[in-house]
Amino acid sequence: MNSPQGSMRENGSWTPASWRLREAQQQPCYDDRAQLENVARRIGKLPPLVTSGEIQELKRALADAQEGRRFLLHGGDCAESFGDCDADTIVNRLKVLFQMSLILGHGLKQPVIRVGRFAGQYAKPRSSDRETVGGETLPSFRGDIVNAAAFDAAARRPDPERMFQAYAFSALTLNFTRALFEGGFGDLRHPEYWQLDWIDQSPRAIEYRREVEEIANSWRFLHTLGGQVGTERVSAGFYTSHEALLLPFEEAVTRRVPHRRGWFNLSTHLPWIGMRTSDIDGAHIEYFRGLQNPVAMKVGPSTRPADLLRLIEVLNPHEEPGRMTLITRMGCKHIAEALPPLLAAVRRAGRHVLWVVDPMHGNTETTPTGIKTRHFDNIRSELEAAFQIHGAEGTRLGGVHLEMTGEDVTECLGGARSLQEQDLSRAYKTTVDPRLNYEQAMELAMLITKVARAAPKVTGRAAAGPRPVAVI
Ligand code: PEP
Ligand code: CO
């Protein structure tokens, strides 16, 4: 198959298409390859969604986080859907991310890097290629970029045209997000812009309001004193991220830019490698190794220390600061035995990475009635354990990766309102994994500041102040 970006070379050197020589996991089976190539060519001609300058800026911010000077908040939907590309959903997502970042920044006394799992989070890995319901077997739903969730043969047929739509919906989402920022949405002096309507119904409403108001007051005060707070702009930065799973799409959005070396995935700032596609000999690792973007990779309980070190060597051979983020998702039952050997191996090898905890994906369970959920207590317990283990190993936990939404859904159990199994059906909307609702997300943000402050302190190697982060 010929690449829209140039021909493959057999000599082992990298191109945006060299992944095609490797085995690619989790790819749909398209029945019209010519149509697939045609769509990829059309996408390849469209303007990019993000710039290489923004990507480099995020890499510098992540390098700061690696050194203990920033904290990463990486969160959003498990899967975005085309149907949810509307103003309210986008605004609510940003609101919850911003409120959490305000609480984290204030509690941790550090600038927070905000990275949304959105404007492109449309492809999903699945445990099985096919799904059987009532005797009928169809291809699994692999995210809106591939097929539709409805259980009928036409909806489940992988359709290449959806890649084009995904690119367009990502552009719409990002366009509105950028317009909101231009209009002052990210202004830290006005967190009331970020208030969600249903906060009043929360049992913790007073606590949230008081905390946000206090923080806003101190920002206003500092602003009147100095105009700007430290070197951080008053308007807060924001970046996008998605799992770069569907390789024909990712190849089509991988470009060169004038005046900069190398290749950039210009559909997102921070692409990540999912747990099911991190085989060192596989197509995804081949694709990612050649990118200039910062790269994140999920790490699960079965990852062996030696394999992790090999992956780091392939993905970041020159130890570039900010290049490598490792997102651990062990599950609260496995973290105590699975995480320490990995931290020790990376530390002993002298490798510099940004460690982030995803307390969601190792804690997914199915209720007796067949609903996929996660218990808030298990999420909390993995989070607390992660801070403690890093403290004990002398490594720094520099961020969190969460699935959450600004909507008032009932998908995860527990939390301040103590959601029970019978509550799940009330507002269960996710097409893939259960997300924290607004209230649970805010509760977790407060918890993170508490456990991070209580965890043993790791002294960073450098103590310089933060670099500025621009608005996208
Ligand atoms: C995800 O982040 O939605 C996901 C599928 O995660 P993981 O690769 O860790 O299972
Ligand atoms: Co998920």
Side-chain angles (χ1 to χ4, degrees):
M1 188 154 45
N2 281 327
S3 148
Q5 301 287 343
S7 62
M8 285 185 296
R9 277 173 273 164
E10 299 293 332
N11 63 3
S13 62
W14 186 91
T15 75
S18 54
W19 63 268
R20 293 174 185 236
L21 296 170
R22 308 290 182 106
E23 197 180 332
Q25 302 295 327
Q26 297 284 340
Q27 303 302 294
C29 193
Y30 290 108
D31 51 25
D32 188 341
R33 305 295 294 185
Q35 192 195 3
L36 176 66
E37 294 307 316
N38 178 284
V39 173
R41 235 184 332 268
R42 279 160 52 214
I43 294 173
K45 289 195 180 130
L46 294 175
L49 302 183
V50 303
T51 68
S52 59
E54 292 166 356
I55 290 171
Q56 298 290 22
E57 191 175 63
L58 173 61
K59 207 192 281 177
R60 285 194 294 273
L62 294 170
D64 276 348
Q66 248 173 259
E67 297 298 330
R69 298 193 293 263
R70 287 180 186 274
F71 193 80
L72 173 67
L73 171 62
H74 192 187
D77 284 323
C78 180
E80 282 180 280
S81 69
F82 296 169
D84 276 349
C85 185
D86 60 63
D88 285 350
T89 308
I90 294 169
V91 167
N92 287 348
R93 268 189 207 141
L94 288 169
K95 281 180 171 178
V96 69
L97 199 75
F98 270 69
Q99 283 203 9
M100 288 177 82
S101 73
L102 195 64
I103 289 176
L104 289 172
H106 185 71
L108 302 176
K109 305 278 176 271
Q110 271 191 337
V112 173
I113 310 165
R114 302 164 195 86
V115 181
R117 284 177 64 118
F118 49 87
Q121 176 49 19
Y122 291 116
K124 295 310 301 172
R126 301 317 300 257
S127 46
S128 167
D129 269 345
R130 313 209 129 243
E131 186 182 350
T132 301
V133 175
E136 192 183 3
T137 300
L138 293 174
S140 295
F141 172 55
R142 289 190 168 277
D144 275 4
I145 195 170
V146 172
N147 54 5
F151 194 79
D152 68 66
R156 289 293 175 92
R157 177 185 160 267
D159 177 1
E161 201 55 38
R162 284 179 161 268
M163 293 192 340
F164 196 87
Q165 288 174 288
Y167 196 70
F169 279 118
S170 303
L172 288 169
T173 305
L174 203 49
N175 179 57
F176 183 48
T177 302
R178 289 184 192 271
L180 286 169
F181 280 93
E182 288 283 307
F185 176 88
D187 191 329
L188 291 165
R189 289 163 296 159
H190 294 288
E192 64 274 13
Y193 296 168
W194 315 342
Q195 207 74 69
L196 282 152
D197 297 341
W198 42 83
I199 191 171
D200 289 329
Q201 286 133 44
S202 164
R204 294 220 159 158
I206 297 173
E207 200 184 333
Y208 295 156
R209 273 200 192 292
R210 200 188 314 119
E211 175 125 3
V212 169
E213 202 34 53
E214 255 174 43
I215 299 168
N217 281 338
S218 44
W219 276 103
R220 281 188 207 106
F221 177 63
L222 286 171
H223 186 74
T224 43
L225 280 184
Q228 298 236 316
V229 181
T231 51
E232 182 85 337
R233 289 192 197 179
V234 170
S235 291
F238 171 76
Y239 299 92
T240 66
S241 181
H242 69 250
E243 179 174 351
L245 184 67
L246 186 62
L247 291 173
F249 175 85
E250 303 301 338
E251 179 188 324
V253 295
T254 304
R255 319 265 171 91
R256 279 189 190 281
V257 295
H259 315 302
R260 278 203 163 95
R261 280 187 329 116
W263 294 82
F264 291 82
N265 182 322
L266 292 178
S267 73
T268 192
H269 301 108
L270 178 60
W272 84 81
I273 306 164
M275 203 192 60
R276 295 172 184 81
T277 48
S278 59
D279 173 10
I280 192 149
D281 296 318
H284 290 81
I285 297 299
E286 172 60 19
Y287 168 72
F288 271 83
R289 81 181 170 91
L291 295 180
Q292 292 300 315
N293 301 59
V295 163
M297 183 173 69
K298 295 287 197 90
V299 177
S302 58
T303 307
R304 288 183 307 218
D307 292 339
L308 183 60
L309 292 179
R310 285 172 65 218
L311 283 161
I312 297 171
E313 173 60 27
V314 169
L315 292 167
N316 192 19
H318 307 300
E319 276 284 310
E320 192 191 353
R323 160 73 172 175
M324 191 79 240
T325 293
L326 295 178
I327 306 170
T328 63
R329 33 87 80 222
M330 302 299 177
C332 64
K333 293 198 182 72
H334 303 292
I335 186 167
E337 85 272 15
L339 188 58
L342 297 174
L343 300 186
V346 172
R347 184 173 45 74
R348 275 195 223 114
R351 289 295 190 172
H352 297 110
V353 302
L354 174 61
W355 289 106
V356 171
V357 61
D358 164 0
M360 313 296 295
H361 286 87
N363 294 309
T364 316
E365 54 189 277
T366 306
T367 66
T369 50
I371 303 175
K372 224 176 172 192
T373 190
R374 290 163 175 153
H375 204 294
F376 191 86
D377 288 344
N378 292 338
I379 296 168
R380 168 213 290 258
S381 137
E382 177 158 359
L383 200 91
E384 286 172 345
F387 277 98
Q388 276 155 13
I389 293 168
H390 275 277
E393 284 296 328
T395 47
R396 178 181 190 256
L397 181 54
V400 288
H401 181 107
L402 302 171
E403 285 185 345
M404 77 235 187
T405 172
E407 308 301 307
D408 193 15
V409 298
T410 53
E411 297 171 5
C412 289
L413 298 167
R417 205 185 284 249
S418 191
L419 285 182
Q420 304 294 310
E421 251 170 73
Q422 61 269 24
D423 299 315
L424 291 182
S425 56
R426 188 151 44 80
Y428 193 94
K429 297 186 186 155
T430 182
T431 45
V432 187
D433 286 340
R435 301 158 296 177
L436 297 167
N437 62 23
Y438 168 64
E439 235 174 72
Q440 291 167 329
M442 295 299 285
E443 191 175 346
L444 210 65
M446 292 188 190
L447 190 93
I448 292 166
T449 65
K450 283 195 194 103
V451 294
R453 279 196 300 238
K457 285 285 160 291
V458 177
T459 44
R461 287 182 301 141
R467 293 198 186 98
V469 172
V471 180
I472 56 169

